[in-house]
Amino acid sequence: MNPSETPAAWSGRFSEPVDERVKRFTASIPFDWRLAPFDIQGSLAHAAMLHRVGILTDQDLADIRRGLGEILADFEAGRFQWNLDDEDIHFNIERALTKKVGDAGKRLHTGRSRNDQVATDVRLWLRDAIDRLQTLLRAARVSLVDLAEQHAETVMPGFTHLQAAQPVTFGHHLMAWQEMFARDADRLADCRRRVNRLPLGAAALAGTSYPIQREYVAELLGFDGVCENSLDAVSDRDFAIEFLAAGALIMTHLSRMSEELVLWMTPRFGFIDLADRFCTGSSIMPQKKNPDVPELLRGKTGRMNGHLIALLTLMKGQPLAYNKDNQEDKEPLFDAVDTLADALAIFADMMGSHVDAQTGARVFHVKVRAERMRQAAIEGYATATDLADYLVKKGLPFREAHEAVARAVRAAEIKGCDLADLSLEELRGFSALTGADVYEVLTLEGSLAARDHIGGTAPAQVRAAIVRVRGKLGGGLAG
Ligand code: ARG
């Protein structure tokens, strides 16, 4: 940043320069520089429209295009020198343009205000961010589906209240996570529809007296249409709020998954091991391998929720139309997208796989301890419900069956064995309806296979779900 003595663009009506501290307090350039490519994109479309309606000459348009092109190149090369005296990205670019091309630069702002300009920039920026996040969400889903396919038959205890409840397959569990991300992708797509509207033309708040063509600008910028009310166009940030709400849900989902990964990685569970590169050691305890990545994913959910609350609070007291409060929309939004992008990319990799160059074999980054999962399901009496269902099918009312099985579990617990280890005689002691065929339902595989309907955990159903999701995702295994 290089301080300049140039007076502010609006200084004409003021009798003294702005206080230095106020300048720092009100400037947004330290963060809104990120909008530069989108500000230029918006200005190019605005200029093309002004030319079309006869406000800019051929020469003006050519100058503006050349100047903005150079500024974009400077920005991309990290050469663009922004200046705090110029307050924000819009003034910084306008000043740079005018320095490069003279009067044409000064004509660009005809029929426009920074109010509709910034609203347009933020929408263009957010639309692009949503598209990037969709790609990352998709990658995370592909990782989960690929891993689920490997484990369509791997048995683990399903939990309620974090107590072993009924057997499920690990693939089924992973596909539950995938469902969450599928809805997240839907939410982003839905939010994008409302982001993708053009505020430009609203000018400061009331529209403009120039013969502008908003639909033309919208078309040039790939917007689905224009914001229909000028006051609303410059002032509302609900599109950003709903994006943050969708983002907070993505992080909430990642956080829940992370919590499970952390639990599963403790030696007590020992269900999985994360690849070393996603973990760190302890500075004092040599034996430790800490799941830092899932813990941080869980932790970063807090800042995302904070950003959502920040924007909701920012909006709630604002009268129409634009107020400077809205400048505060950017940092939460930028940080939210950075956080989401990092979180999704790292999660997709951590849960993902790659093809080993030497052997050509697919290597999954999560190591799954199928034996431990299976043992936990057995120790948790996960087939108790199956025994109750068995007795019901033999004619016992469900409440009585529940009672009989509860007593059987208690007996097994005292003996320190599984339900399937009780003899037929012992089992008949709890209900005389028990036959030798009972052992079929007491196995984990029997329990899984019995849940054979859409959404159930039977391996065949898990495979069918994988096929359906792959169809929607398009393409197969990750690269
Ligand atoms: N930097 C401002 C923002 O982010 C741009 C709009 C300023 N408009 C104004 N009337 N002060 O909101």
Side-chain angles (χ1 to χ4, degrees):
M1 185 185 18
N2 49 352
S4 98
E5 293 308 308
T6 3
W10 37 256
S11 66
R13 96 177 282 301
F14 289 80
S15 59
E16 60 174 359
V18 171
D19 183 79
E20 270 307 314
R21 186 168 20 211
V22 172
K23 205 185 277 177
R24 277 201 307 280
F25 187 67
T26 54
S28 53
I29 187 66
F31 49 86
D32 71 9
W33 56 266
R34 285 207 203 202
L35 296 174
F38 302 93
D39 193 73
I40 289 170
Q41 195 188 351
S43 287
L44 286 170
H46 181 65
M49 183 279 289
L50 291 179
H51 174 257
R52 194 180 201 225
V53 302
I55 293 173
L56 292 181
T57 63
D58 291 354
Q59 189 57 52
D60 286 335
L61 182 61
D63 288 348
I64 287 171
R65 283 185 171 153
R66 175 175 57 78
L68 289 177
E70 286 174 24
I71 293 170
L72 182 61
D74 285 348
F75 177 79
E76 281 168 354
R79 280 192 307 258
F80 184 70
Q81 290 278 328
W82 51 265
N83 182 345
L84 197 63
D85 283 325
D86 288 333
E87 196 176 322
D88 59 23
I89 187 62
H90 323 294
F91 275 148
N92 268 268
I93 289 180
E94 190 182 318
R95 175 104 70 196
L97 179 66
T98 302
K99 220 164 117 192
K100 281 180 191 291
V101 306
D103 281 354
K106 297 184 190 164
R107 288 199 186 98
L108 173 61
H109 209 53
T110 313
R112 175 175 90 166
S113 152
R114 278 184 303 154
N115 297 351
D116 58 345
Q117 188 179 357
V118 71
T120 303
D121 291 6
V122 172
R123 284 171 185 262
L124 286 171
W125 181 86
L126 186 55
R127 182 179 72 185
D128 176 72
I130 288 174
D131 293 345
R132 281 186 288 123
L133 291 174
Q134 285 287 26
T135 306
L136 293 168
L137 255 181
R138 184 184 179 286
R141 293 169 70 193
V142 168
S143 289
L144 292 178
V145 173
D146 289 351
L147 189 60
E149 186 174 48
Q150 289 291 303
H151 295 286
E153 289 177 33
T154 305
V155 193
M156 68 180 276
F159 296 89
T160 62
H161 312 273
L162 205 52
Q163 308 288 322
Q166 293 175 359
V168 295
T169 72
F170 185 49
H172 195 52
H173 197 112
L174 293 169
M175 290 301 281
W177 291 2
Q178 187 292 134
E179 284 292 308
M180 299 180 200
F181 283 152
R183 289 193 299 278
D184 287 328
D186 253 12
R187 258 184 291 273
L188 282 186
D190 189 47
C191 169
R192 190 190 193 278
R193 290 195 303 117
R194 280 177 293 278
V195 170
N196 205 27
R197 301 242 141 209
L198 175 77
L200 220 51
L205 74 164
T208 174
S209 56
Y210 296 100
I212 58 168
Q213 293 182 354
R214 298 187 66 205
E215 287 83 357
Y216 178 61
V217 180
E219 197 188 310
L220 288 178
L221 292 174
F223 283 116
D224 296 330
V226 302
C227 298
E228 301 250 352
N229 179 290
S230 62
L231 295 166
D232 178 51
V234 289
S235 63
D236 211 327
R237 297 292 183 267
D238 58 358
F239 65 91
I241 295 174
E242 63 175 293
F243 167 78
L244 289 177
L249 273 173
I250 294 175
M251 288 306 295
T252 298
H253 288 153
L254 280 169
S255 183
R256 297 183 66 196
M257 298 168 197
S258 296
E259 170 67 7
E260 294 193 306
L261 292 174
V262 169
L263 283 173
W264 293 345
M265 222 184 106
T266 66
R268 309 270 153 184
F269 274 79
F271 285 5
I272 59 155
D273 201 10
L274 296 176
D276 282 0
R277 67 179 185 284
F278 297 102
C279 301
T280 60
S282 156
S283 59
I284 171 167
M285 297 163 283
Q287 85 284 11
K288 293 288 287 287
K289 176 172 162 183
N290 297 327
D292 285 32
V293 166
E295 286 170 33
L296 256 184
L297 289 172
R298 197 174 57 188
K300 281 183 187 287
T301 308
R303 73 199 270 158
M304 184 63 78
N305 292 350
H307 294 330
L308 170 61
I309 298 301
L311 250 66
L312 282 167
T313 312
L314 178 73
M315 208 70 246
K316 74 175 277 295
Q318 286 195 53
L320 289 178
Y322 177 86
N323 303 282
K324 186 79 162 179
D325 312 41
N326 279 342
Q327 181 165 291
E328 284 287 307
D329 64 353
K330 287 168 204 61
E331 285 163 294
L333 210 48
F334 293 164
D335 185 72
V337 169
D338 290 347
T339 304
L340 282 165
D342 280 352
L344 285 170
I346 207 161
F347 182 83
D349 186 13
M350 187 169 68
M351 301 307 293
S353 59
H354 68 273
V355 175
D356 185 273
Q358 235 97 73
T359 63
R362 179 161 291 278
V363 182
F364 286 87
H365 304 162
V366 173
K367 198 187 299 151
V368 177
R369 299 228 167 82
E371 255 324 298
R372 291 292 303 247
M373 289 184 173
R374 185 179 187 88
Q375 199 50 40
I378 291 171
E379 286 164 8
Y381 300 106
T383 56
T385 313
D386 297 273
L387 178 55
D389 289 345
Y390 168 89
L391 294 174
V392 168
K393 283 172 197 158
K394 295 277 176 179
L396 203 62
F398 183 79
R399 273 293 146 242
E400 283 177 37
H402 184 284
E403 175 64 24
V405 175
R407 282 187 284 118
V409 167
R410 177 123 182 76
E413 241 168 16
I414 289 166
K415 279 188 79 176
C417 71
D418 181 28
L419 282 175
D421 297 329
L422 296 175
S423 68
L424 184 55
E425 205 155 313
E426 284 171 306
L427 285 170
R428 286 179 65 83
F430 305 108
S431 169
L433 293 170
T434 312
D437 57 348
V438 72
Y439 292 102
E440 283 160 38
V441 309
L442 286 183
T443 64
L444 296 171
E445 276 69 22
S447 170
L448 291 176
R451 281 146 177 88
D452 189 18
H453 52 76
I454 186 161
T457 192
Q461 292 295 342
V462 174
R463 289 224 166 75
I466 290 169
V467 170
R468 285 196 300 273
V469 172
R470 284 243 169 87
K472 284 182 207 151
L473 286 172
L477 291 160

